[in-house]
Amino acid sequence: MSESTGLLISLLVRYPEVATINYEPQKRVLKFTFIVKEALSPLKVEALKEKLASCLGAFYFLTKKGRPLASLGASTYDGLTFLEVKRDVTSLTEEEISLIIGLLRQEFGSSLITEQ
């Protein structure tokens, strides 16, 4: 098994809130998908984007790291919202992943679908 495949598997096992992880090798970006058991309004998604940007900005400032690519997208289907966080893999840390997941847990609680 390649090292990158092992990393992806360990992330999925460690963080049951992550529905899927996709790697875009040309862009060197990881895409984390999370599922919320409700259709979020565009206003709620925008507020979440702002909160994520603020939290990550503080994290990057405190850790003295540059501001890597991090974006949040959302789509709804059949009463569910699929949140996609894209992140540059070059400087991604486990602490940053934990921060993102902690924020989503705080925002959505039991509405955030987790793998049992």
Side-chain angles (χ1 to χ4, degrees):
M1 181 181 337
S2 75
E3 186 176 316
S4 57
T5 303
L7 171 64
L8 295 179
I9 290 171
S10 68
L11 287 172
L12 287 170
V13 169
R14 182 174 178 113
Y15 301 106
E17 298 83 359
V18 178
T20 63
I21 299 175
N22 293 302
Y23 178 59
E24 299 174 4
Q26 298 83 6
K27 297 178 182 178
R28 300 191 42 82
V29 168
L30 275 179
K31 180 174 70 171
F32 297 86
T33 303
F34 304 90
I35 305 172
V36 179
K37 293 186 240 179
E38 59 183 276
L40 300 178
S41 70
L43 198 58
K44 175 75 174 176
V45 171
E46 193 56 39
L48 182 62
K49 284 181 184 180
E50 289 174 15
K51 189 176 243 185
L52 179 64
S54 176
C55 288
L56 289 176
F59 175 80
Y60 301 144
F61 176 77
L62 292 171
T63 58
K64 308 287 189 232
K65 293 186 177 180
R67 197 165 178 91
L69 169 69
S71 67
L72 174 71
S75 58
T76 58
Y77 178 76
D78 201 24
L80 300 173
T81 300
F82 296 83
L83 299 171
E84 294 180 346
V85 177
K86 289 186 178 183
R87 175 61 172 80
D88 177 354
V89 298
T90 306
S91 61
L92 180 64
T93 64
E94 186 177 336
E95 291 85 8
E96 184 177 349
I97 296 168
S98 293
L99 174 67
I100 293 167
I101 292 172
L103 174 66
L104 294 174
R105 283 180 188 156
Q106 179 182 344
E107 286 294 308
F108 301 112
S110 62
S111 291
L112 184 62
I113 294 177
T114 60
E115 179 68 34
Q116 299 300 322

Coordinates of all heavy atoms in Angstrom, one line a residue, residues 5-95:
T5 N -2.0 6.4 0.3 CA -3.3 5.6 0.5 C -3.4 5.3 2.0 O -4.5 5.4 2.5 CB -3.2 4.3 -0.3 OG1 -3.0 4.6 -1.7 CG2 -4.5 3.5 -0.1
G6 N -2.3 4.9 2.6 CA -2.4 4.7 4.1 C -2.8 5.9 4.9 O -3.6 5.8 5.8
L7 N -2.3 7.1 4.4 CA -2.7 8.3 5.1 C -4.2 8.6 5.0 O -4.9 8.9 5.9 CB -2.0 9.5 4.5 CG -2.4 10.9 5.0 CD1 -2.2 11.1 6.5 CD2 -1.7 12.0 4.2
L8 N -4.8 8.4 3.8 CA -6.2 8.6 3.6 C -7.0 7.6 4.4 O -8.0 8.0 5.0 CB -6.5 8.5 2.1 CG -5.9 9.5 1.2 CD1 -6.3 9.3 -0.3 CD2 -6.3 10.9 1.6
I9 N -6.6 6.4 4.4 CA -7.3 5.4 5.2 C -7.3 5.8 6.7 O -8.3 5.7 7.4 CB -6.8 4.0 5.0 CG1 -7.2 3.5 3.6 CG2 -7.3 3.0 6.0 CD1 -6.5 2.3 3.1
S10 N -6.1 6.2 7.2 CA -6.0 6.5 8.6 C -6.9 7.7 9.0 O -7.4 7.8 10.0 CB -4.6 6.7 9.0 OG -4.0 7.9 8.4
L11 N -7.0 8.7 8.0 CA -7.8 9.9 8.3 C -9.3 9.5 8.4 O -10.0 9.9 9.2 CB -7.7 10.9 7.2 CG -6.4 11.7 7.2 CD1 -6.2 12.5 5.9 CD2 -6.3 12.6 8.4
L12 N -9.7 8.6 7.5 CA -11.1 8.1 7.5 C -11.4 7.3 8.8 O -12.5 7.4 9.3 CB -11.4 7.3 6.3 CG -11.5 8.0 5.0 CD1 -11.6 7.1 3.8 CD2 -12.7 8.9 5.0
V13 N -10.5 6.5 9.3 CA -10.7 5.8 10.5 C -10.7 6.7 11.7 O -11.5 6.6 12.6 CB -9.6 4.7 10.6 CG1 -9.6 4.0 12.0 CG2 -9.8 3.6 9.5
R14 N -9.7 7.6 11.7 CA -9.6 8.5 12.9 C -10.7 9.5 13.0 O -11.1 9.9 14.1 CB -8.3 9.2 12.8 CG -8.0 10.1 14.0 CD -6.6 10.7 14.0 NE -6.5 11.6 15.1 CZ -5.7 11.4 16.2 NH1 -5.0 10.3 16.2 NH2 -5.6 12.2 17.1
Y15 N -11.2 10.0 11.9 CA -12.3 11.0 11.9 C -13.5 10.5 11.2 O -13.7 10.6 10.0 CB -11.8 12.2 11.2 CG -10.5 12.8 11.8 CD1 -9.3 12.7 11.2 CD2 -10.6 13.5 13.0 CE1 -8.2 13.3 11.8 CE2 -9.5 14.1 13.6 CZ -8.3 13.9 13.0 OH -7.1 14.5 13.5
P16 N -14.4 9.8 12.0 CA -15.6 9.2 11.4 C -16.6 10.2 10.8 O -17.5 9.9 10.1 CB -16.2 8.5 12.6 CG -15.7 9.1 13.8 CD -14.4 9.6 13.4
E17 N -16.4 11.5 11.1 CA -17.2 12.6 10.5 C -17.0 12.8 9.0 O -17.8 13.3 8.3 CB -17.0 13.9 11.2 CG -17.4 13.9 12.7 CD -16.3 13.3 13.6 OE1 -15.2 13.0 13.1 OE2 -16.5 13.3 14.8
V18 N -15.8 12.4 8.6 CA -15.4 12.5 7.2 C -16.1 11.5 6.3 O -15.9 10.3 6.5 CB -13.9 12.5 7.0 CG1 -13.5 12.6 5.5 CG2 -13.2 13.5 7.8
A19 N -17.0 11.9 5.4 CA -17.7 11.0 4.6 C -16.8 10.4 3.5 O -16.8 9.2 3.2 CB -19.0 11.6 4.0
T20 N -16.1 11.3 2.8 CA -15.1 10.9 1.8 C -13.9 11.9 1.8 O -14.0 13.0 2.2 CB -15.7 11.0 0.4 OG1 -16.1 12.3 0.0 CG2 -17.0 10.1 0.2
I21 N -12.8 11.3 1.3 CA -11.6 12.1 1.0 C -11.2 11.9 -0.4 O -11.1 10.7 -0.8 CB -10.5 11.8 1.9 CG1 -10.8 12.0 3.4 CG2 -9.2 12.6 1.6 CD1 -9.8 11.5 4.4
N22 N -11.0 13.0 -1.2 CA -10.5 12.8 -2.5 C -9.2 13.6 -2.7 O -9.1 14.7 -2.1 CB -11.5 13.4 -3.5 CG -12.8 12.5 -3.6 OD1 -12.7 11.4 -3.9 ND2 -13.9 13.1 -3.3
Y23 N -8.3 13.1 -3.4 CA -7.0 13.8 -3.7 C -7.0 14.2 -5.1 O -7.2 13.4 -6.0 CB -5.9 12.9 -3.3 CG -4.5 13.5 -3.6 CD1 -4.1 14.7 -3.0 CD2 -3.6 12.9 -4.5 CE1 -2.9 15.3 -3.2 CE2 -2.4 13.5 -4.7 CZ -2.0 14.7 -4.1 OH -0.8 15.2 -4.3
E24 N -6.7 15.5 -5.4 CA -6.5 16.0 -6.7 C -5.0 16.2 -7.0 O -4.5 17.3 -6.6 CB -7.3 17.3 -6.9 CG -8.8 17.1 -6.7 CD -9.6 18.4 -6.7 OE1 -9.0 19.5 -7.0 OE2 -10.8 18.4 -6.4
P25 N -4.3 15.2 -7.6 CA -2.9 15.3 -7.7 C -2.3 16.5 -8.5 O -1.3 17.0 -8.1 CB -2.5 14.0 -8.3 CG -3.7 13.4 -8.9 CD -4.9 14.0 -8.2
Q26 N -3.0 16.9 -9.5 CA -2.6 18.0 -10.3 C -2.5 19.3 -9.5 O -1.6 20.1 -9.7 CB -3.4 18.2 -11.6 CG -3.5 17.1 -12.5 CD -4.5 16.0 -12.1 OE1 -5.2 16.1 -11.2 NE2 -4.4 14.9 -12.8
K27 N -3.5 19.5 -8.7 CA -3.6 20.7 -7.8 C -3.0 20.5 -6.5 O -2.8 21.5 -5.7 CB -5.1 21.1 -7.7 CG -5.8 21.5 -9.0 CD -7.2 21.8 -8.7 CE -7.9 22.1 -10.0 NZ -9.3 22.4 -9.8
R28 N -2.7 19.2 -6.1 CA -2.1 18.9 -4.8 C -3.1 19.4 -3.7 O -2.7 20.0 -2.7 CB -0.7 19.4 -4.6 CG 0.3 18.9 -5.6 CD 1.7 19.2 -5.3 NE 2.2 19.0 -4.0 CZ 2.5 17.9 -3.4 NH1 2.4 16.8 -4.0 NH2 2.9 17.9 -2.1
V29 N -4.4 19.0 -3.9 CA -5.4 19.4 -3.0 C -6.2 18.2 -2.5 O -6.5 17.3 -3.2 CB -6.4 20.4 -3.7 CG1 -7.7 20.6 -2.9 CG2 -5.7 21.7 -4.0
L30 N -6.5 18.2 -1.2 CA -7.4 17.2 -0.6 C -8.7 17.8 -0.4 O -8.9 18.9 -0.1 CB -6.9 16.7 0.8 CG -5.8 15.7 0.9 CD1 -5.5 15.4 2.4 CD2 -6.3 14.4 0.2
K31 N -9.8 17.0 -0.8 CA -11.1 17.4 -0.6 C -11.8 16.5 0.4 O -11.9 15.3 0.2 CB -11.9 17.4 -1.9 CG -13.3 17.9 -1.8 CD -14.0 18.0 -3.2 CE -14.2 16.6 -3.8 NZ -15.0 16.6 -5.0
F32 N -12.2 17.1 1.5 CA -12.9 16.4 2.6 C -14.4 16.7 2.4 O -14.8 17.8 2.3 CB -12.5 16.9 4.0 CG -11.0 16.7 4.3 CD1 -10.1 17.6 3.9 CD2 -10.7 15.5 5.0 CE1 -8.7 17.4 4.2 CE2 -9.3 15.3 5.3 CZ -8.4 16.2 4.9
T33 N -15.2 15.6 2.4 CA -16.7 15.8 2.3 C -17.3 15.4 3.6 O -17.0 14.3 4.2 CB -17.3 15.0 1.2 OG1 -16.6 15.3 -0.1 CG2 -18.8 15.2 1.0
F34 N -18.2 16.2 4.1 CA -19.0 16.0 5.3 C -20.4 16.1 5.0 O -20.8 16.8 4.1 CB -18.7 17.0 6.4 CG -17.2 17.1 6.7 CD1 -16.4 18.0 6.0 CD2 -16.7 16.4 7.8 CE1 -15.0 18.1 6.3 CE2 -15.3 16.5 8.1 CZ -14.5 17.3 7.4
I35 N -21.3 15.3 5.7 CA -22.7 15.3 5.4 C -23.5 15.8 6.6 O -23.3 15.2 7.7 CB -23.2 13.9 4.9 CG1 -22.4 13.4 3.8 CG2 -24.7 14.0 4.6 CD1 -22.7 12.0 3.4
V36 N -24.4 16.7 6.4 CA -25.2 17.2 7.5 C -26.7 16.8 7.2 O -27.1 16.9 6.1 CB -25.1 18.8 7.6 CG1 -26.0 19.3 8.7 CG2 -23.7 19.2 7.8
K37 N -27.4 16.3 8.2 CA -28.7 15.8 8.1 C -29.8 16.9 8.0 O -30.9 16.8 8.5 CB -29.1 14.9 9.3 CG -28.3 13.6 9.4 CD -28.9 12.8 10.5 CE -27.9 12.5 11.6 NZ -28.4 11.7 12.7
E38 N -29.5 17.9 7.3 CA -30.5 19.0 7.0 C -30.0 19.8 5.8 O -28.9 19.8 5.5 CB -30.6 19.9 8.2 CG -29.3 20.6 8.7 CD -29.5 21.5 9.9 OE1 -29.9 22.6 9.8 OE2 -29.2 20.9 11.0
A39 N -31.0 20.4 5.2 CA -30.7 21.3 4.0 C -30.4 22.7 4.6 O -31.2 23.4 5.1 CB -31.9 21.3 3.1
L40 N -29.1 23.0 4.5 CA -28.7 24.3 5.0 C -29.0 25.5 4.1 O -28.9 25.3 2.8 CB -27.2 24.4 5.3 CG -26.6 23.3 6.3 CD1 -25.1 23.4 6.3 CD2 -27.3 23.5 7.6
S41 N -29.5 26.6 4.6 CA -29.8 27.7 3.8 C -28.5 28.4 3.3 O -27.4 28.2 3.9 CB -30.6 28.8 4.6 OG -29.7 29.4 5.6
P42 N -28.5 29.1 2.2 CA -27.3 29.8 1.7 C -26.7 30.7 2.7 O -25.5 30.9 2.8 CB -27.8 30.5 0.5 CG -29.0 29.7 0.0 CD -29.6 29.2 1.2
L43 N -27.6 31.3 3.5 CA -27.2 32.2 4.6 C -26.3 31.5 5.7 O -25.3 31.9 6.1 CB -28.4 32.9 5.2 CG -28.1 34.1 6.1 CD1 -27.5 35.2 5.2 CD2 -29.4 34.6 6.6
K44 N -26.8 30.3 6.0 CA -26.1 29.5 7.0 C -24.8 29.0 6.5 O -23.8 29.0 7.2 CB -27.0 28.3 7.4 CG -26.3 27.3 8.3 CD -26.2 27.7 9.7 CE -25.7 26.6 10.6 NZ -25.5 27.0 12.0
V45 N -24.7 28.6 5.2 CA -23.5 28.2 4.6 C -22.5 29.4 4.5 O -21.3 29.2 4.8 CB -23.7 27.6 3.1 CG1 -22.4 27.4 2.4 CG2 -24.5 26.4 3.2
E46 N -23.0 30.5 4.2 CA -22.1 31.7 4.2 C -21.5 32.0 5.5 O -20.3 32.3 5.7 CB -22.8 32.9 3.6 CG -21.9 34.1 3.2 CD -20.8 33.7 2.2 OE1 -21.1 32.9 1.3 OE2 -19.7 34.2 2.4
A47 N -22.4 31.9 6.6 CA -21.9 32.2 7.9 C -20.9 31.1 8.4 O -19.9 31.4 9.0 CB -23.1 32.1 8.9
L48 N -21.1 29.9 7.9 CA -20.1 28.8 8.2 C -18.8 29.1 7.5 O -17.7 28.9 8.1 CB -20.7 27.4 7.8 CG -19.8 26.2 8.1 CD1 -19.5 26.1 9.6 CD2 -20.5 25.0 7.5
K49 N -18.8 29.5 6.3 CA -17.6 29.9 5.5 C -16.8 31.0 6.3 O -15.6 30.9 6.4 CB -17.9 30.4 4.1 CG -18.3 29.3 3.1 CD -18.6 29.9 1.8 CE -19.1 28.9 0.8 NZ -19.4 29.5 -0.5
E50 N -17.5 32.0 6.7 CA -16.9 33.1 7.4 C -16.2 32.6 8.7 O -15.1 32.9 9.1 CB -17.8 34.2 7.7 CG -18.2 34.9 6.5 CD -19.3 36.0 6.7 OE1 -19.6 36.3 7.9 OE2 -19.9 36.4 5.7
K51 N -17.0 31.7 9.5 CA -16.4 31.2 10.7 C -15.2 30.3 10.5 O -14.2 30.4 11.2 CB -17.5 30.4 11.4 CG -17.2 30.0 12.8 CD -18.3 29.3 13.5 CE -18.7 30.1 14.7 NZ -19.8 29.5 15.5
L52 N -15.3 29.5 9.4 CA -14.2 28.6 9.1 C -12.9 29.4 8.7 O -11.8 29.2 9.2 CB -14.5 27.7 8.0 CG -13.4 26.7 7.5 CD1 -13.0 25.7 8.6 CD2 -13.9 26.0 6.2
A53 N -13.1 30.5 7.9 CA -12.0 31.3 7.5 C -11.4 32.0 8.7 O -10.2 32.2 8.8 CB -12.5 32.4 6.5
S54 N -12.3 32.5 9.6 CA -11.8 33.2 10.8 C -11.0 32.2 11.7 O -9.9 32.6 12.2 CB -13.0 33.7 11.6 OG -12.6 34.3 12.8
C55 N -11.5 31.0 11.9 CA -10.8 30.0 12.8 C -9.5 29.6 12.2 O -8.5 29.5 12.8 CB -11.7 28.8 13.0 SG -13.1 29.1 14.1
L56 N -9.5 29.3 10.9 CA -8.3 28.9 10.2 C -7.3 30.1 10.1 O -6.1 29.9 10.3 CB -8.5 28.4 8.8 CG -9.2 27.0 8.7 CD1 -9.6 26.7 7.3 CD2 -8.4 26.0 9.4
G57 N -7.7 31.3 10.0 CA -6.9 32.5 10.0 C -6.1 32.6 11.3 O -4.9 32.8 11.4
A58 N -6.9 32.4 12.4 CA -6.3 32.5 13.7 C -5.3 31.3 13.9 O -4.2 31.5 14.5 CB -7.4 32.4 14.8
F59 N -5.6 30.2 13.4 CA -4.7 29.0 13.5 C -3.4 29.3 12.8 O -2.3 29.0 13.3 CB -5.4 27.7 13.0 CG -4.5 26.5 12.9 CD1 -4.3 25.8 14.0 CD2 -4.0 26.2 11.7 CE1 -3.5 24.7 14.0 CE2 -3.1 25.0 11.6 CZ -2.9 24.3 12.8
Y60 N -3.5 29.8 11.5 CA -2.3 30.0 10.7 C -1.5 31.1 11.4 O -0.3 31.0 11.4 CB -2.7 30.5 9.3 CG -3.5 29.4 8.5 CD1 -4.5 29.8 7.7 CD2 -3.3 28.1 8.7 CE1 -5.2 28.9 6.9 CE2 -4.0 27.1 8.0 CZ -5.0 27.6 7.1 OH -5.7 26.6 6.4
F61 N -2.1 32.1 12.0 CA -1.4 33.2 12.6 C -0.6 32.6 13.9 O 0.5 32.9 14.1 CB -2.4 34.3 13.1 CG -1.7 35.4 13.9 CD1 -0.9 36.4 13.2 CD2 -1.8 35.4 15.2 CE1 -0.3 37.4 14.0 CE2 -1.2 36.4 16.0 CZ -0.4 37.4 15.3
L62 N -1.3 31.9 14.7 CA -0.7 31.3 15.9 C 0.4 30.3 15.6 O 1.3 30.2 16.4 CB -1.8 30.7 16.8 CG -2.8 31.7 17.4 CD1 -3.9 30.9 18.1 CD2 -2.1 32.6 18.4
T63 N 0.3 29.6 14.5 CA 1.3 28.6 14.2 C 2.4 29.1 13.3 O 3.3 28.4 12.9 CB 0.6 27.3 13.6 OG1 -0.1 27.7 12.4 CG2 -0.3 26.6 14.5
K64 N 2.2 30.4 12.9 CA 3.2 31.1 12.1 C 3.4 30.4 10.7 O 4.4 30.4 10.1 CB 4.6 31.1 12.8 CG 4.6 31.7 14.2 CD 4.4 33.1 14.2 CE 4.6 33.7 15.6 NZ 3.5 34.5 16.1
K65 N 2.3 29.9 10.2 CA 2.3 29.3 8.9 C 1.6 30.2 7.9 O 0.8 31.0 8.3 CB 1.6 27.9 8.9 CG 2.3 26.9 9.7 CD 1.7 25.6 9.6 CE 2.5 24.5 10.4 NZ 1.9 23.2 10.3
G66 N 1.9 30.1 6.6 CA 1.3 30.9 5.6 C -0.2 30.5 5.5 O -0.7 29.6 6.2
R67 N -0.8 31.2 4.6 CA -2.3 30.9 4.5 C -2.5 30.0 3.3 O -2.6 30.5 2.1 CB -3.0 32.3 4.3 CG -4.5 32.1 4.5 CD -5.1 33.5 4.7 NE -6.5 33.4 4.9 CZ -7.1 33.2 6.0 NH1 -6.4 33.2 7.1 NH2 -8.4 33.1 6.1
P68 N -2.5 28.7 3.5 CA -2.7 27.8 2.4 C -4.2 27.8 1.8 O -5.1 28.4 2.5 CB -2.4 26.5 3.0 CG -2.6 26.6 4.4 CD -2.4 28.1 4.8
L69 N -4.4 27.2 0.7 CA -5.7 27.1 0.1 C -6.6 26.4 1.0 O -6.4 25.2 1.4 CB -5.6 26.4 -1.2 CG -6.9 26.0 -1.9 CD1 -7.7 27.3 -2.3 CD2 -6.7 25.1 -3.1
A70 N -7.7 27.0 1.4 CA -8.8 26.3 2.2 C -10.1 26.9 1.7 O -10.2 28.1 1.7 CB -8.6 26.5 3.7
S71 N -11.0 26.1 1.2 CA -12.3 26.6 0.8 C -13.4 25.7 1.3 O -13.1 24.5 1.5 CB -12.3 26.8 -0.7 OG -12.2 25.5 -1.3
L72 N -14.6 26.2 1.3 CA -15.7 25.5 1.7 C -16.8 25.6 0.7 O -17.1 26.8 0.3 CB -16.3 26.0 3.1 CG -17.6 25.4 3.5 CD1 -17.4 23.9 3.9 CD2 -18.2 26.1 4.7
G73 N -17.3 24.5 0.2 CA -18.4 24.5 -0.8 C -19.5 23.7 -0.2 O -19.3 22.8 0.7
A74 N -20.7 23.9 -0.7 CA -21.9 23.2 -0.1 C -22.9 22.9 -1.3 O -23.0 23.7 -2.2 CB -22.5 24.0 1.0
S75 N -23.5 21.7 -1.2 CA -24.6 21.4 -2.1 C -25.6 20.6 -1.3 O -25.3 19.9 -0.3 CB -24.1 20.6 -3.3 OG -23.4 19.4 -2.9
T76 N -26.9 20.7 -1.7 CA -27.9 20.0 -1.0 C -28.6 19.0 -1.9 O -28.6 19.3 -3.1 CB -29.0 21.0 -0.4 OG1 -29.5 21.7 -1.5 CG2 -28.4 21.9 0.6
Y77 N -29.0 17.9 -1.3 CA -29.7 16.9 -2.1 C -30.6 16.1 -1.1 O -30.1 15.6 -0.1 CB -28.7 16.0 -2.8 CG -29.3 14.9 -3.6 CD1 -29.9 15.1 -4.8 CD2 -29.4 13.6 -3.1 CE1 -30.6 14.1 -5.5 CE2 -30.0 12.6 -3.8 CZ -30.6 12.8 -5.0 OH -31.2 11.8 -5.7
D78 N -31.8 16.0 -1.4 CA -32.8 15.2 -0.7 C -32.7 15.5 0.8 O -32.7 14.5 1.6 CB -32.5 13.7 -1.0 CG -33.7 12.9 -0.7 OD1 -34.9 13.4 -0.7 OD2 -33.5 11.7 -0.5
G79 N -32.7 16.7 1.2 CA -32.7 17.1 2.6 C -31.4 17.0 3.3 O -31.3 17.2 4.5
L80 N -30.3 16.7 2.6 CA -29.0 16.6 3.2 C -28.1 17.7 2.6 O -28.3 18.1 1.5 CB -28.3 15.3 2.9 CG -29.0 14.0 3.3 CD1 -28.3 12.8 2.8 CD2 -29.0 13.9 4.9
T81 N -27.1 18.1 3.3 CA -26.1 19.1 2.8 C -24.8 18.4 2.8 O -24.4 17.8 3.8 CB -26.1 20.4 3.7 OG1 -27.4 21.0 3.7 CG2 -25.1 21.4 3.2
F82 N -24.1 18.5 1.7 CA -22.8 18.0 1.5 C -21.8 19.2 1.6 O -21.9 20.0 0.7 CB -22.7 17.2 0.2 CG -23.6 16.0 0.1 CD1 -24.9 16.2 -0.2 CD2 -23.1 14.8 0.4 CE1 -25.7 15.1 -0.3 CE2 -23.9 13.7 0.4 CZ -25.2 13.8 0.0
L83 N -21.0 19.2 2.6 CA -20.0 20.2 2.7 C -18.6 19.7 2.3 O -18.2 18.6 2.6 CB -19.8 20.6 4.2 CG -21.1 21.1 4.9 CD1 -20.9 21.3 6.4 CD2 -21.5 22.5 4.3
E84 N -18.0 20.5 1.4 CA -16.7 20.1 0.9 C -15.6 21.1 1.3 O -15.7 22.3 0.9 CB -16.7 20.0 -0.7 CG -17.6 18.9 -1.1 CD -17.7 18.8 -2.7 OE1 -17.3 19.7 -3.3 OE2 -18.2 17.7 -3.1
V85 N -14.6 20.6 2.0 CA -13.5 21.5 2.4 C -12.3 21.1 1.6 O -11.9 19.9 1.6 CB -13.2 21.3 3.9 CG1 -12.0 22.2 4.3 CG2 -14.4 21.7 4.7
K86 N -11.8 22.0 0.8 CA -10.6 21.8 0.0 C -9.4 22.4 0.7 O -9.5 23.5 1.1 CB -10.8 22.3 -1.4 CG -11.7 21.6 -2.3 CD -11.7 22.1 -3.7 CE -12.7 21.3 -4.5 NZ -12.6 21.8 -5.9
R87 N -8.3 21.6 0.7 CA -7.1 22.1 1.4 C -5.8 21.7 0.7 O -5.7 20.5 0.3 CB -7.2 21.5 2.8 CG -6.0 21.8 3.7 CD -5.8 23.3 3.9 NE -4.7 23.5 4.8 CZ -3.4 23.5 4.6 NH1 -3.0 23.2 3.4 NH2 -2.6 23.7 5.5
D88 N -4.9 22.6 0.5 CA -3.6 22.3 -0.1 C -2.9 21.3 0.8 O -2.8 21.5 2.0 CB -2.9 23.6 -0.2 CG -1.5 23.5 -0.7 OD1 -1.0 22.4 -0.9 OD2 -0.8 24.6 -0.8
V89 N -2.3 20.2 0.3 CA -1.7 19.2 1.1 C -0.3 19.6 1.5 O 0.3 18.9 2.4 CB -1.7 17.8 0.4 CG1 -3.1 17.3 0.1 CG2 -0.9 17.9 -0.9
T90 N 0.3 20.5 0.9 CA 1.7 20.8 1.2 C 2.0 21.1 2.6 O 3.0 20.6 3.2 CB 2.2 22.1 0.3 OG1 1.9 21.8 -1.0 CG2 3.7 22.3 0.5
S91 N 1.2 21.8 3.3 CA 1.5 22.2 4.7 C 0.3 21.7 5.6 O 0.3 22.2 6.8 CB 1.7 23.7 4.9 OG 0.6 24.4 4.5
L92 N -0.5 20.8 5.2 CA -1.7 20.4 6.0 C -1.1 19.6 7.2 O -0.2 18.8 7.1 CB -2.5 19.4 5.2 CG -3.8 18.8 5.9 CD1 -4.7 19.9 6.2 CD2 -4.4 17.8 4.9
T93 N -1.7 19.9 8.4 CA -1.4 19.2 9.6 C -2.6 18.6 10.2 O -3.7 18.9 10.0 CB -0.8 20.2 10.7 OG1 -1.8 21.2 11.0 CG2 0.4 21.0 10.1
E94 N -2.3 17.6 11.1 CA -3.4 16.9 11.8 C -4.2 17.9 12.7 O -5.4 17.8 12.9 CB -2.9 15.8 12.6 CG -3.9 15.0 13.3 CD -3.4 13.8 14.0 OE1 -2.3 13.3 13.7 OE2 -4.2 13.3 15.0
E95 N -3.4 18.9 13.3 CA -4.1 19.9 14.1 C -5.1 20.7 13.3 O -6.2 21.0 13.8 CB -3.1 20.8 14.8 CG -2.2 20.1 15.8 CD -1.0 19.4 15.1 OE1 -0.7 19.6 13.9 OE2 -0.3 18.7 15.9

